[in-house]
Amino acid sequence: MYIIAAFVFSLILTPAVVKAAGSFSTPVKDELAGKHEYKKGTCSLGSVAIVSSFAAGAFICKEDQALDYLFLSLPFFIIGLADDVLKFSRNNADGFKSITKLFLQLISSVFVSFMLRDSYGNIHPALYYPAAVLFMTTTVNALNITDGLDGLAAKVSLPTLILSSAAFPSLRSSSMILFAVLSAYLIYNSSRASVFMGDGGSHFIGAFIALTALFSHHAAAVAFSSAVIYLELISSFIQIIAIRVFSRKVFLMAPFHHHLEMKGIGEEKIVDTFFCISVFSSLLSAILFLRVF
């Protein structure tokens, strides 16, 4: 029942948020102005519908795990939403300064790691805290960077949610609630999107995936199933290093999905390809790390 409720809430709330948001839209980056001209004016508050629908499903579910996911992911959602509001108010594609956003993410990651400390028993704090904070922050940024094409961030997250639902019974309810929410959301977010999740949505989903790794105690399996988002993050990191150290670009534009766009590959083709890779990496993760098959 709670899965159906989450789907219905997302199906109804998403267009309602678009209507209520009015002119709320974050600007397109200058480098993408030509290719993404048609996206200007598209509502960027999809995160409100995503988080609200997940909250509805979690409260109907009444399982502590689902409510824990909601509570622990909220700080990241707030950071992302604040960034979206700044972009809109300044009419600029840049919100927080990178160092400010990173600081806020690190603080939130420390908070989450502290809240989960008792579940890690024999792991020494000197190892647990740095690893947990790094993993949380990296995953949130990886999903945030991946969110650049219609439907991409949501679609590459679905296989990981299915994996966690199948492999970790204690996390099944939470994973299926978000799966239901994103499935309904994609009806409006697939190309051409009528709503974007914004940084609020990508931060929330990234935090959710990181929490899945920490709750399940199978970080390697979850990370491998989410290989696409980490490869996107690595491509951006390589580009930054190449420009700052060697004064040249490795990619036409980072992250990698924009490089493919600049090469003339269609947006839907890129999204479908990345989704297929996510499905394969999740299946491979189930075989290699979880011995599901």
Side-chain angles (χ1 to χ4, degrees):
M1 176 62 74
Y2 59 86
I3 296 173
I4 296 173
F7 181 87
V8 172
F9 267 102
S10 183
L11 198 63
I12 295 172
L13 274 179
T14 303
V17 166
V18 172
K19 186 175 181 179
S23 62
F24 191 100
S25 173
T26 53
V28 175
K29 290 184 177 181
D30 293 339
E31 311 95 289
L32 296 169
K35 288 186 174 293
H36 290 188
E37 182 71 26
Y38 69 93
K39 297 185 180 184
K40 290 182 178 179
T42 302
C43 176
S44 303
L45 277 182
S47 61
V48 174
I50 291 172
V51 175
S52 299
S53 299
F54 181 85
F59 280 108
I60 293 172
C61 176
K62 296 181 181 178
E63 286 191 14
D64 290 342
Q65 192 71 251
L67 295 174
D68 288 343
Y69 265 110
L70 177 63
F71 173 68
L72 295 173
S73 298
L74 277 179
F76 295 96
F77 163 64
I78 292 169
I79 293 169
L81 183 61
D83 199 34
D84 290 330
V85 171
L86 276 178
K87 292 175 182 178
F88 173 71
S89 62
R90 296 173 178 174
N91 194 29
N92 191 301
D94 297 317
F96 286 123
K97 291 183 178 179
S98 297
I99 190 67
T100 302
K101 184 187 287 189
L102 180 61
F103 175 75
L104 293 171
Q105 291 167 343
L106 286 170
I107 293 297
S108 297
S109 297
V110 169
F111 166 73
V112 170
S113 302
F114 179 78
M115 294 299 294
L116 298 179
R117 69 194 184 284
D118 292 337
S119 64
Y120 279 82
N122 296 327
I123 299 180
H124 196 280
L127 175 62
Y128 163 69
Y129 281 109
V133 169
L134 178 62
F135 187 78
M136 285 288 302
T137 306
T138 299
T139 304
V140 168
N141 277 294
L143 205 292
N144 185 219
I145 285 172
T146 302
D147 181 33
L149 301 178
D150 293 357
L152 180 57
K155 284 185 177 178
V156 300
S157 301
L158 295 182
T160 298
L161 296 174
I162 288 291
L163 175 71
S164 62
S165 177
F168 314 125
S170 63
L171 307 181
R172 185 166 298 150
S173 297
S174 306
S175 298
M176 289 311 297
I177 290 171
L178 186 57
F179 182 89
V181 169
L182 293 182
S183 296
Y185 171 76
L186 275 168
I187 294 173
Y188 308 102
N189 183 239
S190 293
S191 187
R192 286 189 172 188
S194 58
V195 61
F196 299 139
M197 66 173 64
D199 281 4
S202 60
H203 275 60
F204 180 81
I205 299 170
F208 189 100
I209 292 173
L211 284 169
T212 296
L214 296 177
F215 278 135
S216 68
H217 291 209
H218 285 281
V222 174
F224 194 89
S225 73
S226 303
V228 165
I229 69 172
Y230 297 111
L231 291 174
E232 288 272 79
L233 182 65
I234 290 170
S235 71
S236 289
F237 183 73
I238 290 172
Q239 186 86 323
I240 291 170
I241 296 299
I243 291 173
R244 293 184 179 178
V245 177
F246 303 104
S247 299
R248 60 180 300 175
K249 293 181 178 181
V250 174
F251 306 105
L252 295 176
M253 185 176 178
F256 189 62
H257 64 256
H258 285 320
H259 170 79
L260 296 177
E261 261 196 304
M262 297 301 172
K263 296 283 283 186
I265 301 176
E267 186 168 348
E268 291 184 53
K269 180 73 171 180
I270 297 169
V271 173
D272 288 344
T273 300
F274 280 27
F275 173 69
C276 291
I277 294 171
S278 296
V279 171
F280 178 74
S281 63
S282 293
L283 287 172
L284 203 56
S285 177
I287 295 170
L288 296 176
F289 297 98
L290 303 174
R291 311 295 182 185
V292 171
F293 303 106

